[in-house]
Amino acid sequence: MRPAHRLLAAFLAASVCLAGPARAEARGSDEVLLQAAQEGMVALLEERLGAGAPIDSRDPKGRTPLMLAVRRNHAEAAALLLARGADPEATDCQGHTAATWAVRLRHVTLLHAILARLRGKPAYARQVRLAAAAAAEVGDHALEQTIRSQYADAAPPPGAPTPAVSATPPMWPRPTRPPRASEAGAGRVVAPPGGEP
């Protein structure tokens, strides 16, 4: 997506957020489609899409049916929406895409499904970078490294700026100290600093 198009898409998403439900309805949102995606009702999704409901309808927070399905971890509904042409690059009022919601809510299977669907398309590299940055932001450095290694073919071109990595360490698992020589082989469980095992 060209920068001018991205800017226009962000403006349109913001207008939905600022104007609320009335503006969303004016843009052709389908409340039944949004609810079906949120609840994972695949048959109803197929019915509404077959009746011509706009696949990228928006709720008052700018979320599309794909985002709603991903947020609730409805893999079958998300797969249907992706197969029917839902825009994985769409952003909500908070600036999140379906891929970044998958990362933030730890729905890793859905993240991989979204990125696999995008492979070979212009949006692929951008969504991989956004997903890795979202993993860093929430402190899931293991997921960040998995994304960067598994999708290395989406690495930014040389000289391109990389997303900032959060300096906040992950909250869990807490670091543990190595066993002391007197504890080695004794079959004792070593407690993490400041807590019970």
Side-chain angles (χ1 to χ4, degrees):
M1 185 181 275
R2 293 179 16 203
H5 292 160
R6 255 195 311 268
L7 182 60
L8 179 60
F11 173 75
L12 291 174
S15 69
V16 170
C17 298
L18 295 174
R23 178 70 176 154
E25 289 172 16
R27 292 189 69 231
S29 286
D30 187 302
E31 294 298 320
V32 176
L33 181 72
L34 291 164
Q35 188 67 30
Q38 185 164 333
E39 300 302 323
M41 296 185 267
V42 177
L44 186 55
L45 277 174
E46 288 178 339
E47 179 184 314
R48 294 304 303 152
L49 291 172
I55 196 163
D56 289 319
S57 295
R58 301 282 185 146
D59 73 0
K61 294 183 180 179
R63 296 177 298 203
T64 65
L66 178 59
M67 289 178 209
L68 294 172
V70 167
R71 283 172 51 94
R72 290 284 185 96
N73 203 17
H74 295 304
E76 195 176 345
L80 171 69
L81 290 163
L82 285 167
R84 292 287 187 96
D87 181 10
E89 284 252 278
T91 57
D92 64 9
C93 294
Q94 296 175 307
H96 298 301
T97 65
T100 58
W101 274 119
V103 169
R104 295 179 75 78
L105 298 171
R106 310 300 200 279
H107 301 315
V108 179
T109 303
L110 282 173
L111 171 67
H112 293 307
I114 292 166
L115 296 179
R117 175 64 78 175
L118 287 172
R119 195 178 290 268
K121 296 180 181 169
Y124 173 67
R126 180 173 181 271
Q127 290 303 312
V128 169
R129 287 193 301 271
L130 286 173
E137 182 181 315
V138 297
D140 193 338
H141 299 293
L143 179 57
E144 177 191 6
Q145 290 307 316
T146 299
I147 293 167
R148 291 188 189 283
S149 64
Q150 193 164 355
Y151 299 100
D153 59 329
T162 56
V165 176
S166 174
T168 307
M171 295 302 292
W172 189 258
R174 296 188 322 208
T176 60
R177 66 175 173 80
R180 295 185 183 117
S182 62
E183 297 171 340
R188 294 178 50 195
V189 176
V190 178
E196 294 286 324

